[in-house]
Amino acid sequence: MARENPAEKALGLLRSRLCDPNFAFKALSHSDDSNYSKLKFLVSSSITEACNNSILLLGPRGSGKIAVLEVVLSDLLQEYPDMISVIRLSGLLHGSDNCAFKEIARQLCMEHQLVFSRMASFDDNSQFMIAMLRECGLAHKTIIFVLDEFDLFALGKQKLLYSLLDAMQSVTSQAVVIGVSCRLDADMLLDKRVRSRFSHRKLLFLPPANEDIQRLLEHILSLPTDSSFPPDYAVAFNAKLQNILADERFKEIISTYLNFDSTVKHLLRYLFRAVSYMDLESGMLSLENFKAALSNIQRHPKLECIKDCSILELYILVCMKRLEVKEQNSYNFNSVMKEYKSIHDSVKTSDYFARNVCLRTIEDKTTLLSFLL
């Protein structure tokens, strides 16, 4: 069997790392001020001290809320394997209270090897959840409820949130509710009766600082020297990587990318593309890999919108642009049609659209046309 090329093996390792958000966020979890440390402390103290708690993880999509939460839960399940049950709900899938209670009952039955009844009513599932909270509390077992898209649970009458938080007021229950939302005002969507039972603990996920980005890049892209890689190759690869990271041109490339998308999720996607350009003959990353990835990943929103436009829509865009070139800052449908007629008369094209068709097109595409211009 042919021996595997170290460059191909390194490429496979880097790609697997970039596809695993949990591995990436471990580089950002060593500081005591990190959200990982704060969240782990809050949840672990609730487990060891047998108390109830509720926490909100807030931040833009792709900022790592779910990834950090998964790392924390994975670590806690290893530390307290017999003291934790995790129930996962999503506002996109379980938005209605009836569906949410049924899913909670199903997961609790699966976790504790009980028979789940699909025919159980809303009240039956609600009472079952409260009873399980009480029984788990007496057994010193914490139930962790993860509510993804938390703001969607705040729509309607909020029966799930009220029943859950109200049951946690009892000294016999032992639970932690972790809400995840991209809305920074998610707690303000709660009713007064629900808000009064909420702990008002919030962790805000912000784009990583430059120091965190540097640490993240070293953590993901460096090869382990104590592994099956040839020692000389791993040392040379890491030395070349350090030279790239210290290069001002590389810092400018990363800064350019982060200016239009600073989330860690999309940064990992960009690094995956850059790593895929690695030359397998030399087996080393180069500055050109990151340049090529940046040029290919940069979006052009106006070009993406215009490529699906019809011929008539392109005509109207040209007419509006010509009017602006003539320093006519404000124009109406009549002036656009006049310009359209002048283009048609001068070029003598065969495609001529009726006035009512042009009017309907402008009415349907007003937002798109204003964006493109």
Side-chain angles (χ1 to χ4, degrees), residues 14-28 62-64 67 208 212-213 216-217 219-221 254 257-258 261-276 290 293 297:
L14 297 180
R15 282 176 169 173
S16 64
R17 288 178 176 179
L18 291 167
C19 291
D20 183 10
N22 295 346
F23 178 86
F25 279 94
K26 284 182 181 178
L28 306 177
S63 57
D212 295 331
I213 293 292
L216 178 66
L217 293 173
H219 175 70
I220 294 177
L221 300 179
I254 294 297
Y257 179 79
L258 294 177
D261 196 334
S262 58
T263 59
V264 177
K265 177 181 178 181
H266 290 93
L267 176 62
L268 296 179
R269 189 176 301 173
Y270 163 71
L271 292 176
F272 186 93
R273 187 181 291 263
V275 165
S276 299
F290 296 94
I297 208 169

Short mmCIF file of all heavy atoms in Angstrom, two decimals, residues 14-28 62-64 67 208 212-213 216-217 219-221 254 257-258 261-276 290 293 297:
data_model
loop_
_atom_site.label_atom_id
_atom_site.label_comp_id
_atom_site.label_asym_id
_atom_site.label_seq_id
_atom_site.Cartn_x
_atom_site.Cartn_y
_atom_site.Cartn_z
N LEU A 14 -6.65 19.81 8.08
CA LEU A 14 -7.10 21.20 8.16
C LEU A 14 -8.57 21.32 7.75
O LEU A 14 -9.34 22.08 8.36
CB LEU A 14 -6.22 22.09 7.27
CG LEU A 14 -4.75 22.18 7.67
CD1 LEU A 14 -4.00 23.10 6.71
CD2 LEU A 14 -4.59 22.67 9.10
N ARG A 15 -8.98 20.60 6.72
CA ARG A 15 -10.38 20.65 6.29
C ARG A 15 -11.30 20.09 7.36
O ARG A 15 -12.38 20.64 7.61
CB ARG A 15 -10.54 19.85 4.99
CG ARG A 15 -10.07 20.58 3.74
CD ARG A 15 -10.18 19.68 2.53
NE ARG A 15 -9.99 20.42 1.29
CZ ARG A 15 -9.91 19.86 0.09
NH1 ARG A 15 -10.00 18.53 -0.01
NH2 ARG A 15 -9.74 20.59 -0.99
N SER A 16 -10.90 19.01 8.01
CA SER A 16 -11.74 18.43 9.06
C SER A 16 -11.87 19.39 10.24
O SER A 16 -12.94 19.48 10.86
CB SER A 16 -11.16 17.09 9.52
OG SER A 16 -9.88 17.26 10.11
N ARG A 17 -10.79 20.10 10.56
CA ARG A 17 -10.86 21.09 11.63
C ARG A 17 -11.82 22.23 11.28
O ARG A 17 -12.63 22.66 12.11
CB ARG A 17 -9.47 21.67 11.90
CG ARG A 17 -8.50 20.73 12.60
CD ARG A 17 -7.15 21.41 12.75
NE ARG A 17 -6.20 20.61 13.48
CZ ARG A 17 -4.95 21.00 13.72
NH1 ARG A 17 -4.51 22.17 13.25
NH2 ARG A 17 -4.13 20.23 14.42
N LEU A 18 -11.73 22.71 10.05
CA LEU A 18 -12.56 23.83 9.63
C LEU A 18 -14.02 23.46 9.52
O LEU A 18 -14.89 24.34 9.57
CB LEU A 18 -12.05 24.38 8.29
CG LEU A 18 -10.69 25.06 8.35
CD1 LEU A 18 -10.12 25.27 6.96
CD2 LEU A 18 -10.79 26.40 9.08
N CYS A 19 -14.31 22.17 9.38
CA CYS A 19 -15.70 21.71 9.33
C CYS A 19 -16.26 21.41 10.72
O CYS A 19 -17.43 21.04 10.84
CB CYS A 19 -15.82 20.47 8.46
SG CYS A 19 -15.54 20.79 6.70
N ASP A 20 -15.43 21.55 11.73
CA ASP A 20 -15.85 21.27 13.11
C ASP A 20 -15.82 22.57 13.93
O ASP A 20 -14.76 22.95 14.43
CB ASP A 20 -14.93 20.23 13.73
CG ASP A 20 -15.35 19.85 15.14
OD1 ASP A 20 -16.46 20.25 15.55
OD2 ASP A 20 -14.58 19.15 15.83
N PRO A 21 -16.96 23.26 14.06
CA PRO A 21 -16.97 24.53 14.82
C PRO A 21 -16.53 24.36 16.26
O PRO A 21 -15.95 25.27 16.85
CB PRO A 21 -18.44 24.99 14.73
CG PRO A 21 -19.01 24.27 13.56
CD PRO A 21 -18.28 22.95 13.50
N ASN A 22 -16.81 23.18 16.85
CA ASN A 22 -16.42 22.95 18.24
C ASN A 22 -14.91 23.03 18.42
O ASN A 22 -14.41 23.60 19.40
CB ASN A 22 -16.93 21.59 18.72
CG ASN A 22 -18.44 21.51 18.75
OD1 ASN A 22 -19.11 22.53 18.67
ND2 ASN A 22 -18.97 20.32 18.87
N PHE A 23 -14.17 22.49 17.45
CA PHE A 23 -12.71 22.57 17.52
C PHE A 23 -12.24 24.02 17.39
O PHE A 23 -11.33 24.45 18.10
CB PHE A 23 -12.09 21.72 16.41
CG PHE A 23 -10.59 21.77 16.38
CD1 PHE A 23 -9.84 20.90 17.16
CD2 PHE A 23 -9.91 22.69 15.58
CE1 PHE A 23 -8.45 20.95 17.15
CE2 PHE A 23 -8.52 22.74 15.56
CZ PHE A 23 -7.79 21.86 16.35
N ALA A 24 -12.87 24.76 16.49
CA ALA A 24 -12.45 26.15 16.26
C ALA A 24 -12.67 27.01 17.50
O ALA A 24 -11.81 27.81 17.88
CB ALA A 24 -13.22 26.73 15.08
N PHE A 25 -13.82 26.84 18.16
CA PHE A 25 -14.14 27.71 19.29
C PHE A 25 -13.40 27.35 20.57
O PHE A 25 -13.43 28.11 21.53
CB PHE A 25 -15.65 27.72 19.53
CG PHE A 25 -16.39 28.64 18.61
CD1 PHE A 25 -16.94 28.17 17.44
CD2 PHE A 25 -16.51 29.99 18.90
CE1 PHE A 25 -17.61 29.01 16.57
CE2 PHE A 25 -17.17 30.84 18.04
CZ PHE A 25 -17.73 30.35 16.87
N LYS A 26 -12.75 26.20 20.58
CA LYS A 26 -11.93 25.88 21.75
C LYS A 26 -10.76 26.84 21.89
O LYS A 26 -10.27 27.07 22.99
CB LYS A 26 -11.42 24.44 21.64
CG LYS A 26 -12.49 23.40 21.95
CD LYS A 26 -11.93 21.99 21.88
CE LYS A 26 -13.02 20.96 22.18
NZ LYS A 26 -12.51 19.56 22.09
N ALA A 27 -10.32 27.41 20.77
CA ALA A 27 -9.22 28.38 20.82
C ALA A 27 -9.66 29.67 21.49
O ALA A 27 -8.82 30.43 21.99
CB ALA A 27 -8.71 28.68 19.41
N LEU A 28 -10.96 29.96 21.51
CA LEU A 28 -11.47 31.20 22.08
C LEU A 28 -12.05 30.99 23.46
O LEU A 28 -12.72 31.88 23.99
CB LEU A 28 -12.56 31.78 21.15
CG LEU A 28 -12.15 31.99 19.69
CD1 LEU A 28 -13.34 32.51 18.89
CD2 LEU A 28 -10.98 32.95 19.58
N GLY A 62 -24.14 33.27 13.12
CA GLY A 62 -22.76 32.94 12.77
C GLY A 62 -21.74 33.39 13.79
O GLY A 62 -20.54 33.21 13.58
N SER A 63 -22.18 33.98 14.91
CA SER A 63 -21.24 34.48 15.91
C SER A 63 -20.76 33.40 16.87
O SER A 63 -19.91 33.66 17.71
CB SER A 63 -21.88 35.63 16.71
OG SER A 63 -23.09 35.21 17.31
N GLY A 64 -21.32 32.19 16.78
CA GLY A 64 -20.80 31.07 17.58
C GLY A 64 -21.62 30.74 18.81
O GLY A 64 -21.11 30.04 19.70
N ALA A 67 -22.27 26.94 18.74
CA ALA A 67 -21.00 26.21 18.81
C ALA A 67 -20.43 26.24 20.23
O ALA A 67 -19.99 25.21 20.76
CB ALA A 67 -20.00 26.81 17.82
N PRO A 208 -15.05 38.52 17.10
CA PRO A 208 -13.79 38.37 17.84
C PRO A 208 -12.83 39.52 17.57
O PRO A 208 -12.81 40.10 16.48
CB PRO A 208 -13.23 37.04 17.33
CG PRO A 208 -13.87 36.85 16.00
CD PRO A 208 -15.22 37.47 16.09
N ASP A 212 -7.95 37.55 19.19
CA ASP A 212 -8.66 36.28 19.11
C ASP A 212 -8.57 35.67 17.72
O ASP A 212 -8.45 34.45 17.57
CB ASP A 212 -10.14 36.49 19.49
CG ASP A 212 -10.30 36.91 20.94
OD1 ASP A 212 -9.45 36.51 21.75
OD2 ASP A 212 -11.26 37.63 21.25
N ILE A 213 -8.62 36.52 16.70
CA ILE A 213 -8.49 36.02 15.33
C ILE A 213 -7.12 35.39 15.12
O ILE A 213 -6.98 34.32 14.51
CB ILE A 213 -8.71 37.16 14.31
CG1 ILE A 213 -10.16 37.65 14.35
CG2 ILE A 213 -8.34 36.72 12.91
CD1 ILE A 213 -11.15 36.65 13.83
N LEU A 216 -7.03 32.12 16.86
CA LEU A 216 -7.88 31.17 16.14
C LEU A 216 -7.16 30.61 14.91
O LEU A 216 -7.19 29.40 14.65
CB LEU A 216 -9.18 31.84 15.73
CG LEU A 216 -10.18 31.01 14.92
CD1 LEU A 216 -10.72 29.88 15.78
CD2 LEU A 216 -11.31 31.88 14.41
N LEU A 217 -6.48 31.47 14.16
CA LEU A 217 -5.77 31.04 12.96
C LEU A 217 -4.63 30.08 13.32
O LEU A 217 -4.44 29.06 12.64
CB LEU A 217 -5.23 32.25 12.21
CG LEU A 217 -6.27 33.19 11.60
CD1 LEU A 217 -5.60 34.44 11.03
CD2 LEU A 217 -7.05 32.49 10.50
N HIS A 219 -4.45 28.20 15.97
CA HIS A 219 -5.04 26.98 16.52
C HIS A 219 -5.52 26.05 15.41
O HIS A 219 -5.32 24.82 15.48
CB HIS A 219 -6.19 27.35 17.45
CG HIS A 219 -6.95 26.18 17.99
ND1 HIS A 219 -6.42 25.32 18.92
CD2 HIS A 219 -8.21 25.73 17.73
CE1 HIS A 219 -7.31 24.38 19.21
NE2 HIS A 219 -8.41 24.61 18.50
N ILE A 220 -6.11 26.60 14.38
CA ILE A 220 -6.72 25.78 13.32
C ILE A 220 -5.69 25.33 12.29
O ILE A 220 -5.68 24.17 11.86
CB ILE A 220 -7.85 26.55 12.63
CG1 ILE A 220 -9.00 26.79 13.61
CG2 ILE A 220 -8.36 25.81 11.40
CD1 ILE A 220 -10.13 27.61 13.03
N LEU A 221 -4.79 26.25 11.89
CA LEU A 221 -3.92 25.99 10.74
C LEU A 221 -2.59 25.36 11.09
O LEU A 221 -1.87 24.90 10.19
CB LEU A 221 -3.68 27.29 9.97
CG LEU A 221 -4.94 27.98 9.42
CD1 LEU A 221 -4.56 29.28 8.71
CD2 LEU A 221 -5.70 27.05 8.48
N ILE A 254 -7.02 39.64 5.67
CA ILE A 254 -7.98 39.24 6.71
C ILE A 254 -8.84 40.41 7.12
O ILE A 254 -10.06 40.28 7.32
CB ILE A 254 -7.23 38.65 7.93
CG1 ILE A 254 -6.54 37.33 7.54
CG2 ILE A 254 -8.18 38.42 9.08
CD1 ILE A 254 -7.50 36.24 7.13
N TYR A 257 -11.49 41.02 4.52
CA TYR A 257 -12.59 40.06 4.61
C TYR A 257 -13.49 40.36 5.81
O TYR A 257 -14.72 40.32 5.71
CB TYR A 257 -12.05 38.64 4.70
CG TYR A 257 -13.14 37.62 4.83
CD1 TYR A 257 -13.87 37.21 3.71
CD2 TYR A 257 -13.50 37.10 6.07
CE1 TYR A 257 -14.91 36.31 3.82
CE2 TYR A 257 -14.54 36.20 6.18
CZ TYR A 257 -15.23 35.81 5.06
OH TYR A 257 -16.27 34.92 5.17
N LEU A 258 -12.88 40.64 6.96
CA LEU A 258 -13.67 40.88 8.17
C LEU A 258 -14.48 42.16 8.09
O LEU A 258 -15.45 42.33 8.84
CB LEU A 258 -12.75 40.91 9.39
CG LEU A 258 -12.04 39.59 9.73
CD1 LEU A 258 -11.11 39.78 10.91
CD2 LEU A 258 -13.06 38.50 10.04
N ASP A 261 -17.71 40.79 6.60
CA ASP A 261 -18.32 39.67 7.32
C ASP A 261 -17.38 39.25 8.45
O ASP A 261 -16.36 38.61 8.22
CB ASP A 261 -18.58 38.50 6.39
CG ASP A 261 -19.55 37.50 6.99
OD1 ASP A 261 -19.63 37.44 8.22
OD2 ASP A 261 -20.25 36.80 6.23
N SER A 262 -17.74 39.63 9.67
CA SER A 262 -16.84 39.41 10.81
C SER A 262 -17.25 38.21 11.66
O SER A 262 -16.70 38.02 12.74
CB SER A 262 -16.81 40.67 11.69
OG SER A 262 -18.11 41.00 12.15
N THR A 263 -18.22 37.41 11.21
CA THR A 263 -18.64 36.25 12.00
C THR A 263 -17.64 35.11 11.84
O THR A 263 -17.03 34.93 10.78
CB THR A 263 -20.03 35.77 11.56
OG1 THR A 263 -20.00 35.42 10.18
CG2 THR A 263 -21.06 36.87 11.77
N VAL A 264 -17.47 34.35 12.92
CA VAL A 264 -16.51 33.24 12.91
C VAL A 264 -16.94 32.16 11.92
O VAL A 264 -16.11 31.54 11.25
CB VAL A 264 -16.36 32.67 14.32
CG1 VAL A 264 -15.41 31.47 14.33
CG2 VAL A 264 -15.86 33.73 15.28
N LYS A 265 -18.24 31.94 11.82
CA LYS A 265 -18.76 30.90 10.93
C LYS A 265 -18.31 31.13 9.49
O LYS A 265 -17.83 30.21 8.82
CB LYS A 265 -20.29 30.88 11.00
CG LYS A 265 -20.95 29.90 10.05
CD LYS A 265 -22.45 29.97 10.17
CE LYS A 265 -23.13 29.03 9.18
NZ LYS A 265 -24.61 29.11 9.28
N HIS A 266 -18.43 32.36 9.01
CA HIS A 266 -18.05 32.65 7.63
C HIS A 266 -16.53 32.77 7.49
O HIS A 266 -16.00 32.54 6.40
CB HIS A 266 -18.74 33.93 7.15
CG HIS A 266 -20.22 33.76 6.96
ND1 HIS A 266 -21.12 34.05 7.94
CD2 HIS A 266 -20.93 33.27 5.92
CE1 HIS A 266 -22.34 33.78 7.50
NE2 HIS A 266 -22.25 33.30 6.29
N LEU A 267 -15.85 33.13 8.56
CA LEU A 267 -14.38 33.13 8.51
C LEU A 267 -13.86 31.71 8.31
O LEU A 267 -12.92 31.49 7.53
CB LEU A 267 -13.81 33.73 9.80
CG LEU A 267 -12.28 33.71 9.93
CD1 LEU A 267 -11.63 34.53 8.82
CD2 LEU A 267 -11.84 34.22 11.30
N LEU A 268 -14.47 30.75 8.97
CA LEU A 268 -14.07 29.35 8.78
C LEU A 268 -14.34 28.90 7.35
O LEU A 268 -13.55 28.14 6.77
CB LEU A 268 -14.83 28.45 9.76
CG LEU A 268 -14.56 28.67 11.25
CD1 LEU A 268 -15.40 27.73 12.09
CD2 LEU A 268 -13.09 28.50 11.56
N ARG A 269 -15.44 29.38 6.77
CA ARG A 269 -15.74 29.04 5.38
C ARG A 269 -14.69 29.63 4.45
O ARG A 269 -14.27 28.99 3.47
CB ARG A 269 -17.13 29.57 5.04
CG ARG A 269 -17.67 29.11 3.69
CD ARG A 269 -19.08 29.61 3.48
NE ARG A 269 -19.98 29.13 4.52
CZ ARG A 269 -21.24 29.53 4.65
NH1 ARG A 269 -21.73 30.44 3.80
NH2 ARG A 269 -22.00 29.03 5.60
N TYR A 270 -14.25 30.84 4.74
CA TYR A 270 -13.21 31.48 3.93
C TYR A 270 -11.89 30.72 4.06
O TYR A 270 -11.20 30.47 3.06
CB TYR A 270 -13.04 32.93 4.36
CG TYR A 270 -11.74 33.56 3.90
CD1 TYR A 270 -11.53 33.86 2.55
CD2 TYR A 270 -10.72 33.82 4.80
CE1 TYR A 270 -10.34 34.41 2.12
CE2 TYR A 270 -9.53 34.38 4.38
CZ TYR A 270 -9.34 34.67 3.04
OH TYR A 270 -8.16 35.22 2.63
N LEU A 271 -11.53 30.33 5.28
CA LEU A 271 -10.28 29.59 5.49
C LEU A 271 -10.32 28.23 4.79
O LEU A 271 -9.30 27.76 4.28
CB LEU A 271 -10.03 29.41 6.99
CG LEU A 271 -9.72 30.69 7.78
CD1 LEU A 271 -9.58 30.37 9.25
CD2 LEU A 271 -8.47 31.37 7.26
N PHE A 272 -11.50 27.60 4.76
CA PHE A 272 -11.63 26.32 4.07
C PHE A 272 -11.32 26.48 2.58
O PHE A 272 -10.62 25.66 1.98
CB PHE A 272 -13.05 25.77 4.25
CG PHE A 272 -13.24 24.39 3.70
CD1 PHE A 272 -13.09 23.28 4.51
CD2 PHE A 272 -13.57 24.20 2.37
CE1 PHE A 272 -13.25 21.99 4.00
CE2 PHE A 272 -13.74 22.93 1.84
CZ PHE A 272 -13.58 21.82 2.67
N ARG A 273 -11.82 27.57 2.02
CA ARG A 273 -11.54 27.82 0.60
C ARG A 273 -10.06 28.11 0.38
O ARG A 273 -9.47 27.64 -0.61
CB ARG A 273 -12.39 29.00 0.12
CG ARG A 273 -12.32 29.26 -1.38
CD ARG A 273 -13.17 30.46 -1.75
NE ARG A 273 -14.57 30.17 -1.58
CZ ARG A 273 -15.38 29.79 -2.56
NH1 ARG A 273 -14.91 29.63 -3.78
NH2 ARG A 273 -16.66 29.57 -2.32
N ALA A 274 -9.45 28.87 1.30
CA ALA A 274 -8.03 29.19 1.16
C ALA A 274 -7.17 27.94 1.28
O ALA A 274 -6.22 27.73 0.50
CB ALA A 274 -7.63 30.22 2.21
N VAL A 275 -7.50 27.08 2.24
CA VAL A 275 -6.73 25.86 2.44
C VAL A 275 -6.85 24.94 1.22
O VAL A 275 -5.89 24.24 0.85
CB VAL A 275 -7.22 25.15 3.73
CG1 VAL A 275 -6.72 23.72 3.78
CG2 VAL A 275 -6.75 25.91 4.96
N SER A 276 -8.01 24.95 0.58
CA SER A 276 -8.22 24.09 -0.58
C SER A 276 -7.33 24.47 -1.76
O SER A 276 -7.13 23.67 -2.67
CB SER A 276 -9.69 24.14 -1.01
OG SER A 276 -10.53 23.68 0.02
N PHE A 290 -4.60 32.67 0.13
CA PHE A 290 -5.57 33.52 0.81
C PHE A 290 -6.05 34.64 -0.11
O PHE A 290 -7.21 35.06 -0.03
CB PHE A 290 -4.95 34.09 2.09
CG PHE A 290 -4.61 33.04 3.11
CD1 PHE A 290 -3.34 32.49 3.16
CD2 PHE A 290 -5.57 32.59 4.01
CE1 PHE A 290 -3.03 31.51 4.10
CE2 PHE A 290 -5.26 31.61 4.95
CZ PHE A 290 -3.98 31.07 4.99
N ALA A 293 -8.60 33.02 -2.47
CA ALA A 293 -9.86 32.75 -1.76
C ALA A 293 -10.66 34.03 -1.55
O ALA A 293 -11.89 34.04 -1.68
CB ALA A 293 -9.56 32.08 -0.42
N ILE A 297 -14.43 34.74 -3.01
CA ILE A 297 -15.51 34.71 -2.03
C ILE A 297 -16.21 36.06 -1.88
O ILE A 297 -17.30 36.16 -1.32
CB ILE A 297 -14.98 34.23 -0.66
CG1 ILE A 297 -16.09 33.53 0.14
CG2 ILE A 297 -14.41 35.40 0.16
CD1 ILE A 297 -15.60 32.82 1.36
#
